[in-house]
């Protein structure tokens, strides 16, 4: 978090003691220590001040702060006397603790999946002798319970994605009365955010027919009315519907091998009118995103029909360019959004 890269040996030590690390961070967050360190922003606070404020034994608090320092959560400014040793929180440390340890965290949600089926048995899994049983998880999802559980998980992490779309609205939602097709749009949670932020927009979620009831429920609770629609279909087996100005893929393409991802983007190209745009919002491959995606990378070791294939932004640029899209732009934010336009002069694109 502070930018220091640990050696493999030091990293392994931290991983081995991961449960203890979480205990330290959770304690510092619950007791208000992280907040106190964060209050001072760029300034620091002394060990003596922290000890007095919370009624703690200074020498013991010092050791807790050592733990936080090795985790990259705090910066220490040493002094000749223990009480005068000063600390400040690294930017984002407190928010990260809340985001991961809070009741609505993605990590807490993911931990509810049956990953323990694989734990301790990875050699057998890698040899193909053991897999995730279909009743626990299959892909594509084939039961109402699995569909509902998975879409709940996807909706739980929609906040940063919605913020990225909101921040960049002028770059992707530039005309009135736009129609957007959200391919694989889950239960419509993201669509609701887009509709609330862009009054002239209409969004249809395109997904398997089993998702209709979830989108209907989202429409009812959100009050978006007819602006939120649903189109049932199988985007793997069928062409994408036409009549839309924008086609979006949000956390969809990384679920499939590159040839399949290319096929889906080609379908979007064919469905869009000249001047239409495609939006791609993914966990683009870098060290930060790989870390956040660790759970799925682990869990899906035992599921052959699905993979979490994070790709670099440059790879999507190449795919889009090869298919004929132009003006490929990467919009910044907590999740980057790639925007590309279908030109007015349309070369033939072959789906393969």
């Amino acid at each position: 978090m502070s930018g220091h890269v640990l050696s493999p040996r030091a990293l392994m030590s931290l991983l081995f003691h991961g449960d203890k690390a979480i205990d330290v961070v959770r304690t510092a967050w619950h007791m208000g220590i992280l907040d106190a360190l964060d209050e001072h922003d760029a300034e620091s606070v002394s060990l003596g001040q922290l000890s007095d404020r919370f009624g703690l034994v200074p020498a013991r608090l010092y050791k807790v702060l050592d733990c936080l320092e090795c985790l990259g959560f705090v910066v220490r400014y040493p002094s000749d006397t223990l009480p005068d040793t000063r600390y400040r929180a690294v930017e984002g440390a407190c928010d990260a603790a809340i985001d991961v340890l809070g009741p609505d965290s993605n990590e807490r949600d993911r931990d509810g999946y049956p990953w323990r089926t694989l734990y301790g048995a990875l050699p057998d899994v890698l040899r193909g002798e053991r897999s995730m049983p279909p009743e626990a998880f299959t892909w594509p999802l084939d039961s109402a319970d699995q569909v509902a559980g998975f879409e709940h998980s996807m909706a739980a992490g929609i906040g940063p994605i919605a913020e990225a779309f909101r921040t960049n609205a002028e770059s992707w939602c530039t005309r009135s009365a736009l129609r957007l097709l959200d391919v694989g749009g889950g239960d419509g949670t993201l669509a609701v955010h887009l509709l609330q932020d862009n009054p002239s927009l209409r969004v249809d979620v395109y997904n398997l027919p089993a998702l209709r009831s979830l989108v209907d429920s989202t429409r009812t609770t959100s009050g978006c009315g007819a602006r939120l629609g649903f189109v049932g279909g199988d985007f793997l087996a069928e062409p994408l519907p036409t009549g839309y100005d924008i086609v979006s893929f949000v956390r969809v393409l990384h679920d499939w091998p590159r040839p399949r991802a290319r096929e889906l983007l080609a379908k979007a190209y064919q469905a869009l009118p000249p001047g239409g745009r495609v939006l791609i919002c993914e966990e683009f491959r870098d060290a930060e995103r790989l870390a956040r995606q660790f759970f799925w990378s682990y869990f899906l070791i035992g599921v052959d029909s699905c993979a979490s294939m994070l790709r670099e932004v440059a790879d999507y640029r190449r795919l889009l360019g090869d298919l004929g899209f132009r003006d490929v732009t990467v919009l910044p934010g907590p999740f980057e959004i790639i925007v590309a336009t279908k030109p007015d002069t349309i070369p033939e694109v072959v789906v393969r």
Side-chain angles (χ1 to χ4, degrees):
M1 192 174 295
S2 63
H4 174 64
V5 178
L6 294 174
S7 70
R9 177 62 180 83
L11 177 60
M12 282 303 302
S13 183
L14 277 180
L15 289 173
F16 188 86
H17 296 292
D19 52 349
K20 305 167 191 70
I22 290 296
D23 190 36
V24 167
V25 176
R26 183 188 293 113
T27 298
W29 170 45
H30 283 172
M31 292 186 68
I33 296 169
L34 279 180
D35 280 324
L37 292 166
D38 202 43
E39 285 172 6
H40 292 261
D41 198 15
E43 299 180 4
S44 57
V45 58
S46 73
L47 178 69
Q49 289 172 315
L50 288 172
S51 301
D52 291 344
R53 177 170 174 177
F54 295 104
L56 306 176
V57 179
R60 295 185 177 186
L61 177 58
Y62 179 85
K63 296 163 190 173
V64 166
L65 292 167
D66 260 6
C67 291
L68 292 173
E69 181 186 355
C70 86
L71 294 171
F73 272 70
V74 303
V75 176
R76 182 176 68 98
Y77 301 93
S79 172
D80 291 338
T81 60
L82 192 65
D84 293 328
T85 303
R86 304 188 71 83
Y87 299 85
R88 67 171 176 83
V90 170
E91 183 179 358
C94 194
D95 289 341
I98 295 170
D99 195 37
V100 173
L101 300 177
D104 299 322
S105 82
N106 285 339
E107 286 76 9
R108 197 177 294 278
D109 174 85
R110 306 300 189 256
D111 202 48
Y113 282 80
W115 59 269
R116 292 169 183 82
T117 302
L118 310 178
Y119 186 73
L122 283 184
D124 293 340
V125 176
L126 289 169
R127 285 190 290 263
E129 298 167 1
R130 177 178 236 179
S131 300
M132 186 65 64
E135 62 273 15
F137 187 89
T138 188
W139 190 264
L141 304 168
D142 65 357
S143 75
D145 287 344
Q146 287 187 18
V147 168
F150 182 78
E151 296 305 340
H152 178 272
S153 291
M154 294 301 100
I158 217 69
I161 295 174
E163 177 60 26
F165 275 91
R166 182 181 304 113
T167 302
N168 293 288
E170 293 183 359
S171 298
W172 66 266
C173 189
T174 54
R175 297 205 314 268
S176 61
L178 285 172
R179 295 195 66 196
L180 183 150
L181 183 72
D182 189 13
V183 179
D187 66 358
T189 297
L190 175 61
V192 169
H193 284 280
L194 301 182
L195 292 169
Q196 291 171 341
D197 294 335
N198 304 280
S200 63
L201 189 66
R202 294 172 59 90
V203 179
D204 285 348
V205 171
Y206 181 72
N207 218 327
L208 296 172
L211 272 294
R212 180 182 294 275
S213 61
L214 296 181
V215 176
D216 289 344
S217 176
T218 300
R219 182 189 305 110
T220 300
T221 57
S222 68
C224 288
R227 293 175 63 212
L228 174 59
F230 179 83
V231 180
D234 184 348
F235 58 67
L236 298 178
E238 304 167 9
L240 295 180
T242 58
Y244 297 90
D245 305 289
I246 304 173
V247 172
S248 65
F249 295 94
V250 179
R251 293 187 302 184
V252 169
L253 299 177
H254 74 270
D255 287 334
W256 307 102
R258 194 175 190 277
R260 180 69 82 177
R262 183 192 187 281
E263 177 186 338
L264 292 173
L265 288 171
K267 288 183 178 184
Y269 189 97
Q270 292 176 330
L272 284 166
R277 280 163 289 164
V278 65
L279 306 179
I280 303 172
C281 185
E282 288 280 355
E283 296 271 13
F284 298 121
R285 192 180 192 91
D286 59 30
E288 176 81 8
R289 270 41 184 292
L290 279 172
R292 294 187 182 214
Q293 196 73 0
F294 178 86
F295 172 82
W296 288 117
S297 296
Y298 178 90
F299 181 73
L300 294 176
I301 295 171
V303 183
D304 291 331
S305 56
C306 181
S308 181
M309 296 186 174
L310 304 192
R311 300 180 181 90
E312 291 83 358
V313 169
D315 194 19
Y316 283 108
R317 282 184 177 275
R318 286 191 294 270
L319 277 174
L320 292 166
D322 290 346
L323 290 168
F325 285 101
R326 297 295 179 262
D327 301 324
V328 181
T329 304
V330 181
L331 306 178
F335 274 70
E336 295 89 350
I337 303 169
I338 299 177
V339 182
T341 303
K342 180 175 178 176
D344 293 332
T345 303
I346 307 173
E348 182 179 354
V349 176
V350 179
V351 179
R352 61 181 183 219

